[in-house]
Amino acid sequence: MNWVQPVRIPADVEQEDRIVGGLTARQVVILGGTGGLLYTAYLIFGDRVPLVVCAAAVLPVGILGILLAIGRRDGVSLDRYLLAAIRHQRSPKSLISTPGNVPPPPPWVAARPCRRPAPLRLPARGVIGDGLIDLGPDGVAAVAEVSTVSFALRTPDEQDALVAVFGRWLNSLSGPAQILVRAERVDLTETISTLVGNARELPHPALTAAAHEHAAFLADISARHDLLRRQVLLIIREPSAKGSDAAVARALRRLEEAGRLLSVCGLTVRLLDARAANALLTSCFDPAAPSIPDAEFATQDEVVTRGEHR
């Protein structure tokens, strides 16, 4: 009987393959290019420049090549880190929301010469009906919140069944899908207010005292700690080559199929409505900002008016 040799999968699935001497292809190219550059410089200037001067000139270049090949910063290789720094330095820092290019200022404006602002290009154009996110030429994205199950507390047979169902869903994918696990802040103000308000209607004074004590406990936790909760999101993206309506229908159908398959695992897939999708995008752009109440969000067809002055 032939047994299949198991293959060890690294924890970092994006880890590059090592091909020569424990070095990746990128590292081999950088070191080879550095060595070739130094060898070419030696062939050109070796007979004209003293060896000590030549070594002093090429030593910094060699050290720089080695650092770029094997050095890392915050989990990113130094060559990519350097390219990102150069790209950041050359990119405009002032971005404004405009559909087209930013026109130059009129000549009569006495302003000091500076870099012109650039248009802000966001991947999301807005939230359309049914809570789907309009990605413009990239199609639409349906975002759903998924419940969780405790995998560690299951028996081995139950764990195998969960993995099999999850693998069946992965094999059924017909388009791009993303699983996003994010942490968001929890505001217990409404919970504390509800608890204090309901404490007055409790039938026994001891229950009222316990409710007030628990409310004080929650208020103390909120004041001393940053409370977070984990949220699991399933994003289904569909291109809009055949029209936005067809893309919306396909995205909703794929999300419905995912909910039907994952329900076998005890998972609940709930499509975010327009208000929840707007709140999600707002929190992604500014996670530290306080959450906006649902009453302050305008619907898609609602006219935005100025609020009353107080």
Side-chain angles (χ1 to χ4, degrees):
M1 181 179 296
N2 295 329
W3 295 93
V4 179
Q5 183 68 23
V7 179
R8 294 180 59 88
I9 300 177
D12 185 6
V13 295
E14 297 182 355
Q15 183 178 2
E16 301 180 22
D17 296 331
R18 303 184 182 276
I19 56 175
V20 178
L23 300 177
T24 63
R26 178 189 57 82
Q27 293 173 333
V28 171
V29 170
I30 295 176
L31 293 177
T34 304
L37 178 63
L38 296 180
Y39 183 71
T40 303
Y42 174 75
L43 293 179
I44 296 175
F45 302 102
D47 298 336
R48 306 175 184 178
V49 181
L51 183 60
V52 177
V53 177
C54 185
V58 301
L59 184 61
V61 179
I63 295 177
L64 179 61
I66 295 175
L67 290 178
L68 290 178
I70 65 177
R72 302 184 71 85
R73 171 70 183 272
D74 296 334
V76 181
S77 59
L78 284 186
D79 60 324
R80 295 173 179 172
Y81 193 88
L82 181 61
L83 291 177
I86 296 175
R87 192 181 303 113
H88 173 73
Q89 184 66 26
R90 294 176 57 88
S91 62
K93 304 301 183 295
S94 299
L95 303 176
I96 60 176
S97 179
T98 178
N101 296 327
V102 180
W108 51 267
V109 175
R112 61 180 182 178
C114 60
R115 182 179 296 182
R116 187 187 308 175
L120 177 62
R121 299 289 185 241
L122 298 176
R125 301 290 181 85
V127 178
I128 57 180
D130 297 328
L132 274 71
I133 300 176
D134 183 11
L135 303 179
D138 295 327
V140 296
V143 184
E145 186 175 7
V146 185
S147 61
T148 58
V149 295
S150 179
F151 187 81
L153 297 180
R154 301 299 180 95
T155 63
D157 293 338
E158 292 175 343
Q159 292 179 356
D160 293 340
L162 292 177
V163 173
V165 173
F166 187 72
R168 192 178 304 118
W169 171 69
L170 292 178
N171 292 329
S172 67
L173 291 177
S174 59
Q178 177 187 5
I179 299 176
L180 174 63
V181 181
R182 60 187 297 267
E184 62 176 358
R185 297 181 182 274
V186 177
D187 187 9
L188 298 180
T189 304
E190 184 177 356
T191 303
I192 296 173
S193 301
T194 304
L195 185 60
V196 173
N198 295 336
R200 307 169 186 173
E201 303 176 359
L202 294 176
H204 197 278
L207 295 177
T208 303
H212 284 287
E213 183 179 355
H214 186 63
F217 170 73
L218 295 179
D220 181 65
I221 289 181
S222 301
R224 292 190 295 108
H225 301 282
D226 291 333
L227 303 181
L228 302 175
R229 81 176 185 96
R230 181 175 298 175
Q231 185 183 30
V232 181
L233 299 175
L234 175 61
I235 299 97
I236 301 295
R237 187 174 65 84
E238 276 290 337
S240 58
K242 299 181 181 179
S244 58
D245 295 337
V248 169
R250 290 196 305 270
L252 293 177
R253 183 175 64 253
R254 289 180 54 198
L255 194 61
E256 182 180 357
E257 294 175 354
R260 185 170 58 254
L261 289 175
L262 296 178
S263 62
V264 182
C265 301
L267 301 177
T268 302
V269 180
R270 181 180 63 86
L271 176 66
L272 298 184
D273 56 9
R275 293 185 181 274
N278 276 316
L280 175 64
L281 293 178
T282 303
S283 63
C284 290
F285 281 112
D286 192 1
S291 59
I292 302 177
D294 293 341
E296 297 185 9
F297 280 107
T299 59
Q300 184 178 4
D301 300 329
E302 183 180 355
V303 178
V304 179
T305 59
R306 181 179 300 178
E308 298 180 359
H309 295 281
R310 297 182 180 178

